Amino acid sequence: MLRENMLAFRGVYYRSSTMRGDSVDCVVKSPVALQLGDVVSDSVRPGVYIIDVVLSTPVSIQEISFKNYYTAYLTVRVLKNEEGSHESPAQWFTCVKNYCLMSSPHTEGGSQDYFSIYRQQMLTEPDNVINVRLILRQPSSVWLNFNIEDIKIYSLADEESERDVPSWLSTITPAEEPLDLNGLPDPDSVSSSIQHMWALTEIMQSSQTSASIGRFDVSPSFCFSE
């Protein structure tokens, strides 16, 4: 399944315009079952699991990727620090609600596919996130177990760093910056001298005669005595 920079939302694929950073360090906790009734006496398997992903530092999330294992629906909640909030510095927000992973809970379609959920699909901006809670739901009793695996969270790439100029380009003198001509002759004077020399050359070439010069006749009186 092709996933690079592609978004899948309600069966429509489109290319992501936002760059993602590296996968962040996180701790994926074991699934916790939510079961109604007496856990000891009730033999009905749980239909809901919760997986908490604890981030080492606050992260602005760009993408959450994972491999499905017979989970029909997924809800994503994030615990994030709200800027400017002093009474309740950390609050839970629902980013994705009942995201469909299987075309039908009773059939195999999508049961073991790879998925990516991007920030463009989320109901709230996942910035300054310190915890991600994944709520897995499988209403069908056909499958004995369900889960999601290979969970990875990618941070939002720094737009400024994406536009960094290579070091060799930074050494080039900008066009608007005047060149340092200290110690060099005046360009106007040099240009005037060159034009003057070119004019003299043209005059000399035009004044040359095309008549050939004959041989020299030496006078008999001009001789060398021993």
Side-chain angles (χ1 to χ4, degrees):
M1 181 177 181
L2 181 62
R3 300 188 299 119
E4 289 188 3
N5 295 330
M6 298 294 293
L7 280 66
F9 186 56
R10 294 180 180 177
V12 178
Y13 289 84
Y14 56 97
R15 191 171 296 276
S16 173
S17 60
T18 308
M19 299 295 294
R20 80 176 185 184
D22 300 326
S23 59
V24 301
D25 294 332
C26 59
V27 176
V28 180
K29 295 187 177 181
S30 300
V32 176
L34 290 184
Q35 186 169 358
L36 300 176
D38 189 352
V39 178
V40 177
S41 60
D42 194 350
S43 60
V44 179
R45 67 162 185 79
V48 179
Y49 280 102
I50 292 180
I51 300 177
D52 276 342
V53 182
V54 181
L55 307 178
S56 57
T57 58
V59 174
S60 294
I61 298 176
Q62 164 60 23
E63 175 188 348
I64 301 174
S65 67
F66 56 90
K67 182 181 184 296
N68 189 26
Y69 185 77
Y70 295 96
T71 296
Y73 303 99
L74 174 67
T75 294
V76 180
R77 304 198 71 201
V78 294
L79 180 65
K80 63 178 184 176
N81 292 321
E82 286 290 286
E83 297 181 358
S85 178
H86 302 285
E87 297 180 356
S88 180
Q91 298 182 15
W92 284 100
F93 295 87
T94 299
C95 288
V96 178
K97 186 175 182 180
N98 292 331
Y99 186 83
C100 183
L101 302 180
M102 298 175 62
S103 55
S104 172
H106 307 287
T107 60
E108 290 274 352
S111 60
Q112 299 187 53
D113 288 347
Y114 282 91
F115 289 88
S116 285
I117 300 177
Y118 296 82
R119 67 184 289 119
Q120 292 91 338
Q121 299 170 247
M122 299 182 184
L123 302 175
T124 183
E125 293 184 351
D127 298 330
N128 299 317
V129 176
I130 56 178
N131 197 338
V132 177
R133 177 163 293 173
L134 306 173
I135 303 174
L136 290 57
R137 188 162 63 91
Q138 175 53 273
S140 175
S141 59
V142 174
W143 320 111
L144 296 178
N145 298 294
F146 63 95
N147 198 354
I148 60 174
E149 305 167 343
D150 195 19
I151 301 171
K152 293 182 181 179
I153 297 178
Y154 295 91
S155 62
L156 181 64
D158 186 359
E159 294 184 0
E160 294 299 326
S161 63
E162 295 293 335
R163 300 192 187 109
D164 283 347
V165 179
S167 58
W168 63 271
L169 281 176
S170 61
T171 60
I172 297 179
T173 305
E176 65 273 12
E177 182 178 341
L179 297 175
D180 185 9
L181 301 178
N182 188 22
L184 296 178
D186 183 27
D188 294 336
S189 299
V190 174
S191 177
S192 178
S193 299
I194 293 175
Q195 291 181 357
H196 184 64
M197 293 177 61
W198 174 81
L200 290 176
T201 303
E202 289 293 322
I203 294 173
M204 292 178 63
Q205 289 180 351
S206 62
S207 63
Q208 287 181 353
T209 178
S210 59
S212 60
I213 301 177
R215 65 183 181 84
F216 289 95
D217 293 329
V218 181
S219 174
S221 61
F222 183 80
C223 60
F224 292 96
S225 60
E226 295 181 359

